[in-house]
Amino acid sequence: MTIVCTGSIAFDYLMSFPGYFRDHILPDHLDSISLSFLVDAMVRQRGGTGPNIAYTLALLGERPLLVGTVGEDFAEYRACLESKGVDTHFVKVIRGEYSASFFANTDLSNNQIASFYTGAMAHAAEINIQELVGENPELVVISPNDPKAMAQYARQCQELGIPYLYDPSQQIVRLDPEELRMGVEGAQSLFVNAYEFELLQKHTHLTSNQILSLVEIMVVTLGKEGAIVYVEGEEYHIPSYPPEKIIDPTGVGDAFRGGFLRGYHLGLDWQTCGQMGSLAATYCLEQRGTQNHFYTPDEFVTRYRRCFDDRGVLDVLLDQS
Ligand SMILES: Nc1ncnc2c1ncn2[C@@H]1O[C@H](COP(=O)(O)OP(=O)(O)OP(=O)(O)O)[C@@H](O)[C@H]1O
Ligand SMILES: [Mg+2]
């Protein structure tokens, strides 16, 4: 049985401007802005919510199926994901397009000017979940993506009776409120951070208790405060895992989901699933980028046991590595 990861598949182009944007903006001339910043550093990183989650799952020994649409610039990214154990044969190349791309320029005071180009991601709704049935999907992860595709995947999962994890995140504000509500109502599990949980209540006109009663599993992440897992009428308080250094928080939410899901797929208890999410997130926090951290399942278990007691249940990860 396979975990299917859907979500944006993107490159992040990250630039650093060795000055202050504010010194270049003339408040009296805001109606005719023409700015060009000479930047002295740029990196291109692999990103997107779908591959980020799949990456962590693969590090932990899973073989997730990544689903989405990309541009002609994806070959190297595909090879990298495959080498880590992500199955990419359902990632469709759209001829003549670029992959979704996030361009961000950050100045010396950490102000950021960014643009997100949807590119090939705008074709994501051309994929029908029905096409995946032969892959034996156990769970479909619906992460931020083209809003049309997100709504369609949720509807198709409901029609096919395939459980899905709903992770609307930054698209909460872009999704049609009716579709957002439909997405929550049919979900097996819901993952949000604390801010998104508030936003979700506002946009769906559902109360926190109503949302809780709609889904089997709800996880609210709380940054360095950890997370809360709500399931079967219980609340599990999950501490975060102390990082050795904090380099870049981008992608920690995705890494948490990947770690949690690996535990879930192995049938581990909720506390362990949550704590696996915490440690997976901490690894991500300690490197720049969302897929530049690395560990083997053995290293993961050893580090886990330094802070948490798994009573031996994580031996199952060692047996698979
Ligand atoms: N400062 C921190 N120290 C340790 N762990 C952290 C820290 N920040 C985040 N985490 C871990 O990452 C998990 C997810 O964090 P958070 O709630 O910030 O997600 P998020 O807002 O969705 O992040 P993003 O969307 O930027 O990836 C937390 O539950 C925690 O385990
Ligand atoms: Mg997030």
Side-chain angles (χ1 to χ4, degrees):
M1 296 288 262
T2 309
I3 296 184
V4 175
C5 295
T6 73
S8 59
I9 303 176
F11 287 108
D12 299 338
Y13 296 83
L14 308 176
M15 290 160 267
S16 314
F17 176 58
Y20 297 93
F21 295 145
R22 61 167 181 264
D23 296 340
H24 298 262
I25 295 170
L26 302 171
D28 297 339
H29 294 84
L30 290 181
D31 48 349
S32 60
I33 294 178
S34 172
L35 291 167
S36 171
F37 300 102
L38 184 66
V39 298
D40 60 3
M42 185 182 98
V43 288
R44 185 178 82 156
Q45 296 189 326
R46 299 177 296 277
T49 53
N52 287 347
I53 297 171
Y55 179 81
T56 289
L57 278 165
L59 287 183
L60 290 170
E62 188 85 37
R63 184 156 172 78
L65 181 69
L66 179 63
V67 170
T69 46
V70 295
E72 293 186 22
D73 50 1
F74 187 67
E76 203 184 314
Y77 193 170
R78 183 190 296 276
C80 180
L81 289 169
E82 284 285 344
S83 76
K84 294 291 186 302
V86 177
D87 183 347
T88 64
H89 83 275
F90 254 100
V91 177
K92 225 168 104 184
V93 176
I94 308 296
R95 294 284 155 223
E97 287 281 8
Y98 288 111
S99 298
S101 303
F102 177 66
F103 300 92
N105 190 5
T106 305
D107 78 358
L108 290 178
S109 51
N110 266 332
N111 288 314
Q112 196 177 68
I113 297 178
S115 309
F116 188 84
Y117 173 59
T118 58
M121 196 181 89
H123 294 261
E126 291 167 18
I127 295 174
N128 189 320
I129 299 296
Q130 174 84 49
E131 298 168 46
L132 310 174
V133 169
E135 304 288 327
N136 233 344
E138 171 169 343
L139 179 76
V140 173
V141 179
I142 303 180
S143 284
N145 201 340
D146 171 55
K148 249 190 340 291
M150 291 178 73
Q152 181 190 297
Y153 297 164
R155 209 172 308 111
Q156 289 166 347
C157 283
Q158 290 174 19
E159 285 162 10
L160 294 162
I162 301 171
Y164 64 90
L165 184 163
Y166 198 52
D167 170 25
S169 193
Q170 65 262 33
Q171 299 295 46
I172 290 174
V173 291
R174 279 297 304 274
L175 286 157
D176 172 80
E178 273 310 305
E179 290 183 332
L180 186 63
R181 200 178 159 123
M182 177 276 291
V184 174
E185 282 172 353
Q188 180 224 43
S189 45
L190 173 70
F191 279 62
V192 280
N193 67 25
Y195 178 77
E196 291 157 358
F197 190 41
E198 294 295 323
L199 212 55
L200 186 65
Q201 293 170 52
K202 185 170 159 231
H203 282 255
T204 55
H205 300 293
L206 293 167
T207 63
S208 55
N209 280 333
Q210 285 171 322
I211 294 176
L212 257 176
S213 68
L214 287 169
V215 294
E216 280 173 40
I217 307 159
M218 184 168 88
V219 179
V220 180
T221 62
L222 310 166
K224 69 173 183 323
E225 305 305 323
I228 305 181
V229 179
Y230 300 87
V231 63
E232 294 154 357
E234 304 281 337
E235 275 180 32
Y236 297 85
H237 289 256
I238 312 296
S240 65
Y241 194 99
E244 280 166 15
K245 55 190 177 189
I246 297 183
I247 300 291
D248 177 11
T250 317
V252 286
D254 295 336
F256 182 96
R257 285 152 176 72
F260 184 99
L261 275 177
R262 180 62 177 139
Y264 170 80
H265 204 197
L266 289 168
L268 305 183
D269 60 277
W270 300 112
Q271 191 72 29
T272 305
C273 293
Q275 291 173 179
M276 287 176 71
S278 294
L279 177 54
T282 287
Y283 273 111
C284 177
L285 192 60
E286 292 171 340
Q287 296 291 331
R288 197 165 300 285
T290 58
Q291 295 170 38
N292 291 326
H293 53 289
F294 182 80
Y295 47 83
T296 64
D298 281 34
E299 286 164 350
F300 184 90
V301 173
T302 304
R303 190 169 178 194
Y304 184 101
R305 287 175 175 165
R306 259 186 252 142
C307 271
F308 298 136
D309 179 11
D310 67 305
R311 300 165 318 279
V313 297
L314 286 183
D315 283 351
V316 65
L317 275 182
L318 305 178
D319 296 343
Q320 304 202 346
S321 56

